Amino acid sequence: MLSTVLEHQIQLFDVYGVGVMVTTDDDRPYRAIESFLEPFVTEQPARSELAFDISTSPRAQQPDPDAQEVWDAGYFRMSKSGSRRYLAAKGYGTGEADLDTGSGRIWVEGWGENYQWGLTRLLFLPMWAMLLKTTGRFTIHAAGVARDGRALLFPVRSGGGKSTLTLNLAKAGYDLLSDDTQFLIPEEGRIKIAPFTEQIALRKGSLTFFPEHGHKPVGEGHRVLVDPAEEGINVVSARVEPGIIAFPQLTGKPESVYEPISSAEALQRLILSSFFFTDQAVLDDHLQVLSTLVAQSSCYRVGVGTRSESLVECVQRMESES
Amino acid sequence: MTQTNETTLRRSAEILTSDINGELVLLNPETGDCYSLTGVGATVWQAIGDATTLDDVVAGVCERFDVEPERAREDAQRFVEQLVGEGLAVREPLA
């Protein structure tokens, strides 16, 4: 069926040793994924372990109605049934992954102004991250910057101020690891943080960092994508050692404050934020990777204030203490 | 049923454990609950094997800490009840 093959475009990526194949049936998702996974583009991975199919055709088969709900944020829902995982992003589409086969499918439904963000961050990224776990590649949902070869990680859920942290610190001279997703790579019994400098997804409040661009306002739950290089932000190009893990909380007050927390508390917080959808078979591996990361890091809780200078000073004090 | 030497104790199969800088973190993946154990609590957990009696647990505590056996037994008994109540450990009749 040569005609069928030609209608589908295949992209290959090497994600820190894991081969990923993405098939699309339309130029728009093709370009969105190509941009999102640009650092991993390859001509030929060693082997393809994960496969995704992104379709613009209507979904023929509906998700299992008895699937157990795992997360419901209104605009974004997750559920599971056996080895299958289901996602639904309101206005953008739905997705389904099978942990046993290492495959995922996405049905794109919306082509609004922010479809690229919705497709890559709400639909593709969660399934990609959960399937990567089955290959032994673990990530955490966190903002990350680095300085002098040491990473500063800020794990927080969506809308919790990751981009605010990233941008403040990048403007203060820190290098960007990733605005959203940190790769934890085991190396000789230790963990290193590998960069994933995808575009930064800015919510309504963060757009004020780039007033010169005149970005159009976006609604709640939506984002505008910004290219770090175009904004003059330095990006990390090599793996770095963990240094600090700080759990941020927006306070609304001007000044930023911090206090140390125990390794065990840090590990528990990471578990709660990253064990979603982890396959039973790799739970222990996942726990050991997170434990190693925490053991290598100094851990803090940070109250993130509104004054940029105070936040940067706060982070610098943490660095000097650790 | 309370823990006696007529019963044995084992860790629940699904519980994951990590030792981080001397502090034990236990995770129940079914519920998402996490527990942090230090000191006597960590020692009790480490003493629990496949078919552990209360005497085994008390011996582990006395070996590690300077404590009277009766006091160790009371503390261990109380903590074991908590472990069983939280589903972290399972009590079984002595074979």
Side-chain angles (χ1 to χ4, degrees):
Chain A
M1 305 294 287
L2 186 60
S3 59
T4 304
V5 172
L6 290 176
E7 284 170 11
H8 292 75
Q9 305 176 71
I10 295 172
Q11 296 162 287
L12 299 171
F13 305 94
D14 187 330
V15 183
Y16 295 118
V18 178
V20 177
M21 182 173 74
V22 180
T23 307
T24 51
D25 66 354
D26 187 284
D27 271 349
R28 291 168 293 185
Y30 181 93
R31 286 195 299 268
I33 294 296
E34 184 179 49
S35 172
F36 181 56
L37 297 184
E38 192 271 333
F40 303 122
V41 170
T42 183
E43 290 294 317
Q44 184 64 55
R47 55 196 169 116
S48 280
E49 294 169 81
L50 305 179
F52 292 87
D53 183 79
I54 302 176
S55 172
T56 55
S57 303
R59 184 172 187 163
Q61 191 177 357
Q62 293 307 305
D64 180 352
D66 297 324
Q68 175 194 351
E69 189 175 273
V70 177
W71 180 263
D72 187 351
Y75 67 95
F76 179 62
R77 289 183 287 114
M78 293 178 165
S79 57
K80 65 178 182 179
S81 174
S83 66
R84 292 190 175 274
R85 306 292 185 261
Y86 302 103
L87 307 180
K90 198 172 181 181
Y92 296 107
T94 60
E96 179 177 325
D98 189 328
L99 301 180
D100 284 347
T101 62
S103 62
R105 292 199 69 181
I106 290 171
W107 292 267
V108 182
E109 293 170 1
W111 300 103
E113 193 174 356
N114 299 310
Y115 85 88
Q116 190 174 347
W117 170 76
L119 168 60
T120 56
R121 305 310 202 278
L122 291 183
L123 292 167
F124 183 80
L125 173 60
M127 292 205 298
W128 182 56
M130 81 174 80
L131 289 175
L132 280 170
K133 289 178 185 177
T134 67
T135 70
R137 284 283 177 256
F138 297 101
T139 60
I140 56 171
H141 189 204
V145 295
R147 189 154 74 172
D148 300 328
R150 295 178 76 222
L152 295 82
L153 306 180
F154 302 93
V156 65
R157 66 177 183 271
S158 293
K162 284 195 304 297
S163 296
T164 302
L165 276 158
T166 304
L167 296 169
N168 270 304
L169 294 173
K171 287 197 168 186
Y174 289 80
D175 298 333
L176 178 67
L177 266 167
S178 173
D179 175 52
D180 186 82
T181 303
Q182 310 299 329
F183 276 86
L184 313 178
I185 309 291
E187 275 189 20
E188 298 172 349
R190 294 174 64 82
I191 295 296
K192 286 201 171 181
I193 313 298
F196 175 39
T197 46
E198 86 278 45
Q199 293 168 307
I200 300 173
L202 299 177
R203 60 203 281 268
K204 189 167 60 176
S206 305
L207 288 175
T208 54
F209 277 93
F210 302 105
E212 67 276 19
H213 289 260
H215 291 298
K216 291 179 187 171
V218 292
E220 290 300 332
H222 296 274
R223 303 288 192 279
V224 168
L225 295 174
V226 172
D227 189 328
E230 289 177 8
E231 307 301 336
I233 293 173
N234 291 327
V235 297
V236 178
S237 58
R239 298 174 189 185
V240 294
E241 291 280 342
I244 285 173
I245 302 174
F247 297 87
Q249 184 166 14
L250 299 173
T251 64
K253 297 175 182 173
E255 304 303 316
S256 293
V257 294
Y258 71 96
E259 61 178 331
I261 60 173
S262 71
S263 299
E265 181 181 342
L267 178 59
Q268 290 185 38
R269 285 169 170 259
L270 281 182
I271 287 169
L272 294 175
S273 67
S274 65
F275 260 46
F276 272 135
F277 280 174
T278 298
D279 185 15
Q280 198 74 24
V282 294
L283 268 177
D284 198 44
D285 290 345
H286 194 182
L287 179 62
Q288 299 317 320
V289 165
L290 294 181
S291 299
T292 307
L293 169 69
V294 168
Q296 288 176 242
S297 307
S298 299
C299 304
Y300 298 90
R301 182 186 301 127
V302 184
V304 178
T306 54
R307 201 169 67 83
S308 296
E309 294 82 0
S310 175
L311 173 61
V312 173
E313 288 164 12
C314 181
V315 169
Q316 288 171 341
R317 284 200 301 276
M318 282 192 293
E319 280 187 289
S320 64
E321 276 183 17
S322 62
Chain B
M1 184 165 63
T2 56
Q3 185 66 31
T4 69
N5 282 320
E6 304 304 313
T7 58
T8 60
L9 207 60
R10 64 171 171 81
R11 297 178 185 178
S12 298
E14 67 273 19
I15 302 301
L16 303 176
T17 308
S18 182
D19 183 340
I20 179 162
N21 298 335
E23 197 166 350
L24 292 184
V25 174
L26 275 50
L27 169 68
N28 184 341
E30 292 295 313
T31 63
D33 291 334
C34 288
Y35 306 83
S36 174
L37 303 182
T38 56
V40 175
T43 302
V44 169
W45 180 258
Q46 285 164 332
I48 298 173
D50 285 339
T52 308
T53 65
L54 187 60
D55 279 351
D56 298 331
V57 174
V58 172
V61 173
C62 288
E63 190 179 308
R64 177 87 188 273
F65 297 94
D66 183 15
V67 60
E68 293 294 323
E70 276 315 301
R71 173 67 189 277
R73 178 172 293 275
E74 285 174 22
D75 288 350
Q77 174 93 51
R78 195 179 309 120
F79 188 65
V80 161
E81 297 307 322
Q82 290 180 328
L83 292 176
V84 172
E86 292 290 330
L88 300 171
V90 177
R91 194 164 19 224
E92 293 170 331
L94 188 62

PDB file of all heavy atoms in Angstrom, chain A residues 21 25 52-53 92-93 101 108 142 162 167 170 198 233 264 305:
ATOM      1  N   MET A  21       9.823   6.580  17.424  1.00  0.00           N
ATOM      2  CA  MET A  21       9.300   6.825  16.082  1.00  0.00           C
ATOM      3  C   MET A  21       7.927   7.490  16.199  1.00  0.00           C
ATOM      4  O   MET A  21       7.081   7.030  16.968  1.00  0.00           O
ATOM      5  CB  MET A  21       9.160   5.507  15.322  1.00  0.00           C
ATOM      6  CG  MET A  21       8.670   5.709  13.887  1.00  0.00           C
ATOM      7  SD  MET A  21       8.697   4.168  12.946  1.00  0.00           S
ATOM      8  CE  MET A  21       7.295   3.319  13.631  1.00  0.00           C
ATOM      9  N   ASP A  25      -0.107  12.177  10.141  1.00  0.00           N
ATOM     10  CA  ASP A  25      -0.812  12.174   8.860  1.00  0.00           C
ATOM     11  C   ASP A  25      -1.114  13.590   8.376  1.00  0.00           C
ATOM     12  O   ASP A  25      -1.982  13.797   7.534  1.00  0.00           O
ATOM     13  CB  ASP A  25      -2.113  11.360   8.971  1.00  0.00           C
ATOM     14  CG  ASP A  25      -3.123  12.012   9.900  1.00  0.00           C
ATOM     15  OD1 ASP A  25      -2.778  13.028  10.538  1.00  0.00           O
ATOM     16  OD2 ASP A  25      -4.265  11.513   9.984  1.00  0.00           O
ATOM     17  N   PHE A  52       4.737   6.294  18.268  1.00  0.00           N
ATOM     18  CA  PHE A  52       3.558   7.132  18.435  1.00  0.00           C
ATOM     19  C   PHE A  52       2.916   7.362  17.077  1.00  0.00           C
ATOM     20  O   PHE A  52       3.613   7.517  16.076  1.00  0.00           O
ATOM     21  CB  PHE A  52       3.937   8.492  19.040  1.00  0.00           C
ATOM     22  CG  PHE A  52       4.418   8.396  20.457  1.00  0.00           C
ATOM     23  CD1 PHE A  52       5.755   8.144  20.724  1.00  0.00           C
ATOM     24  CD2 PHE A  52       3.541   8.549  21.521  1.00  0.00           C
ATOM     25  CE1 PHE A  52       6.210   8.037  22.022  1.00  0.00           C
ATOM     26  CE2 PHE A  52       3.989   8.441  22.822  1.00  0.00           C
ATOM     27  CZ  PHE A  52       5.320   8.192  23.077  1.00  0.00           C
ATOM     28  N   ASP A  53       1.612   7.408  17.105  1.00  0.00           N
ATOM     29  CA  ASP A  53       0.874   7.707  15.891  1.00  0.00           C
ATOM     30  C   ASP A  53      -0.039   8.898  16.191  1.00  0.00           C
ATOM     31  O   ASP A  53      -0.842   8.844  17.124  1.00  0.00           O
ATOM     32  CB  ASP A  53       0.039   6.487  15.472  1.00  0.00           C
ATOM     33  CG  ASP A  53      -0.680   6.739  14.163  1.00  0.00           C
ATOM     34  OD1 ASP A  53      -0.036   6.638  13.113  1.00  0.00           O
ATOM     35  OD2 ASP A  53      -1.880   7.078  14.211  1.00  0.00           O
ATOM     36  N   TYR A  92      -8.152  20.190  22.524  1.00  0.00           N
ATOM     37  CA  TYR A  92      -6.956  19.793  21.778  1.00  0.00           C
ATOM     38  C   TYR A  92      -7.015  18.363  21.246  1.00  0.00           C
ATOM     39  O   TYR A  92      -6.502  18.088  20.177  1.00  0.00           O
ATOM     40  CB  TYR A  92      -5.713  19.950  22.650  1.00  0.00           C
ATOM     41  CG  TYR A  92      -5.447  21.377  23.039  1.00  0.00           C
ATOM     42  CD1 TYR A  92      -5.680  21.818  24.335  1.00  0.00           C
ATOM     43  CD2 TYR A  92      -5.001  22.293  22.098  1.00  0.00           C
ATOM     44  CE1 TYR A  92      -5.440  23.150  24.690  1.00  0.00           C
ATOM     45  CE2 TYR A  92      -4.774  23.614  22.431  1.00  0.00           C
ATOM     46  CZ  TYR A  92      -4.999  24.036  23.730  1.00  0.00           C
ATOM     47  OH  TYR A  92      -4.773  25.340  24.058  1.00  0.00           O
ATOM     48  N   GLY A  93      -7.607  17.459  22.028  1.00  0.00           N
ATOM     49  CA  GLY A  93      -7.698  16.084  21.546  1.00  0.00           C
ATOM     50  C   GLY A  93      -7.611  15.074  22.661  1.00  0.00           C
ATOM     51  O   GLY A  93      -7.709  15.404  23.855  1.00  0.00           O
ATOM     52  N   THR A 101       3.050  -2.479  25.012  1.00  0.00           N
ATOM     53  CA  THR A 101       3.592  -2.460  23.648  1.00  0.00           C
ATOM     54  C   THR A 101       4.505  -1.265  23.389  1.00  0.00           C
ATOM     55  O   THR A 101       5.146  -1.192  22.337  1.00  0.00           O
ATOM     56  CB  THR A 101       2.449  -2.426  22.610  1.00  0.00           C
ATOM     57  OG1 THR A 101       1.694  -1.220  22.807  1.00  0.00           O
ATOM     58  CG2 THR A 101       1.526  -3.631  22.770  1.00  0.00           C
ATOM     59  N   VAL A 108      -5.862  14.377  17.288  1.00  0.00           N
ATOM     60  CA  VAL A 108      -5.913  15.834  17.420  1.00  0.00           C
ATOM     61  C   VAL A 108      -7.305  16.318  17.025  1.00  0.00           C
ATOM     62  O   VAL A 108      -7.836  15.926  15.978  1.00  0.00           O
ATOM     63  CB  VAL A 108      -4.853  16.502  16.515  1.00  0.00           C
ATOM     64  CG1 VAL A 108      -4.883  18.013  16.697  1.00  0.00           C
ATOM     65  CG2 VAL A 108      -3.469  15.963  16.835  1.00  0.00           C
ATOM     66  N   ALA A 142       9.781  19.400  36.309  1.00  0.00           N
ATOM     67  CA  ALA A 142      10.443  20.445  37.084  1.00  0.00           C
ATOM     68  C   ALA A 142      11.092  21.456  36.154  1.00  0.00           C
ATOM     69  O   ALA A 142      11.503  21.119  35.051  1.00  0.00           O
ATOM     70  CB  ALA A 142      11.525  19.827  37.980  1.00  0.00           C
ATOM     71  N   LYS A 162       6.834  27.535  37.384  1.00  0.00           N
ATOM     72  CA  LYS A 162       8.100  27.034  36.823  1.00  0.00           C
ATOM     73  C   LYS A 162       8.737  28.066  35.896  1.00  0.00           C
ATOM     74  O   LYS A 162       9.916  28.359  36.003  1.00  0.00           O
ATOM     75  CB  LYS A 162       7.867  25.730  36.045  1.00  0.00           C
ATOM     76  CG  LYS A 162       7.653  24.517  36.918  1.00  0.00           C
ATOM     77  CD  LYS A 162       7.782  23.226  36.131  1.00  0.00           C
ATOM     78  CE  LYS A 162       6.842  23.167  34.949  1.00  0.00           C
ATOM     79  NZ  LYS A 162       5.415  23.191  35.318  1.00  0.00           N
ATOM     80  N   LEU A 167      12.755  31.907  34.070  1.00  0.00           N
ATOM     81  CA  LEU A 167      13.059  33.158  33.383  1.00  0.00           C
ATOM     82  C   LEU A 167      13.811  34.129  34.285  1.00  0.00           C
ATOM     83  O   LEU A 167      14.738  34.807  33.846  1.00  0.00           O
ATOM     84  CB  LEU A 167      11.767  33.788  32.869  1.00  0.00           C
ATOM     85  CG  LEU A 167      11.062  32.940  31.809  1.00  0.00           C
ATOM     86  CD1 LEU A 167       9.674  33.462  31.518  1.00  0.00           C
ATOM     87  CD2 LEU A 167      11.888  32.897  30.539  1.00  0.00           C
ATOM     88  N   ALA A 170      17.328  32.676  34.489  1.00  0.00           N
ATOM     89  CA  ALA A 170      18.025  32.791  33.199  1.00  0.00           C
ATOM     90  C   ALA A 170      18.465  34.233  32.958  1.00  0.00           C
ATOM     91  O   ALA A 170      19.568  34.488  32.480  1.00  0.00           O
ATOM     92  CB  ALA A 170      17.119  32.304  32.070  1.00  0.00           C
ATOM     93  N   GLU A 198      13.590  22.472  25.327  1.00  0.00           N
ATOM     94  CA  GLU A 198      12.454  22.730  24.448  1.00  0.00           C
ATOM     95  C   GLU A 198      12.002  24.172  24.626  1.00  0.00           C
ATOM     96  O   GLU A 198      12.499  24.902  25.481  1.00  0.00           O
ATOM     97  CB  GLU A 198      11.314  21.745  24.738  1.00  0.00           C
ATOM     98  CG  GLU A 198      10.365  22.148  25.842  1.00  0.00           C
ATOM     99  CD  GLU A 198      10.848  21.825  27.243  1.00  0.00           C
ATOM    100  OE1 GLU A 198      12.039  22.078  27.552  1.00  0.00           O
ATOM    101  OE2 GLU A 198      10.035  21.376  28.052  1.00  0.00           O
ATOM    102  N   ILE A 233      18.570  33.479  25.932  1.00  0.00           N
ATOM    103  CA  ILE A 233      18.809  32.639  27.112  1.00  0.00           C
ATOM    104  C   ILE A 233      19.847  31.575  26.771  1.00  0.00           C
ATOM    105  O   ILE A 233      19.722  30.879  25.756  1.00  0.00           O
ATOM    106  CB  ILE A 233      17.485  31.974  27.565  1.00  0.00           C
ATOM    107  CG1 ILE A 233      16.517  33.049  28.071  1.00  0.00           C
ATOM    108  CG2 ILE A 233      17.736  30.915  28.630  1.00  0.00           C
ATOM    109  CD1 ILE A 233      15.128  32.533  28.377  1.00  0.00           C
ATOM    110  N   ALA A 264      14.346  12.756  53.058  1.00  0.00           N
ATOM    111  CA  ALA A 264      13.156  11.911  53.007  1.00  0.00           C
ATOM    112  C   ALA A 264      11.927  12.713  52.586  1.00  0.00           C
ATOM    113  O   ALA A 264      11.103  12.245  51.794  1.00  0.00           O
ATOM    114  CB  ALA A 264      12.925  11.262  54.361  1.00  0.00           C
ATOM    115  N   GLY A 305       8.673  34.832  46.009  1.00  0.00           N
ATOM    116  CA  GLY A 305       8.049  36.151  46.065  1.00  0.00           C
ATOM    117  C   GLY A 305       7.964  36.800  44.696  1.00  0.00           C
ATOM    118  O   GLY A 305       8.419  36.249  43.702  1.00  0.00           O
TER     119      GLY A 305
END
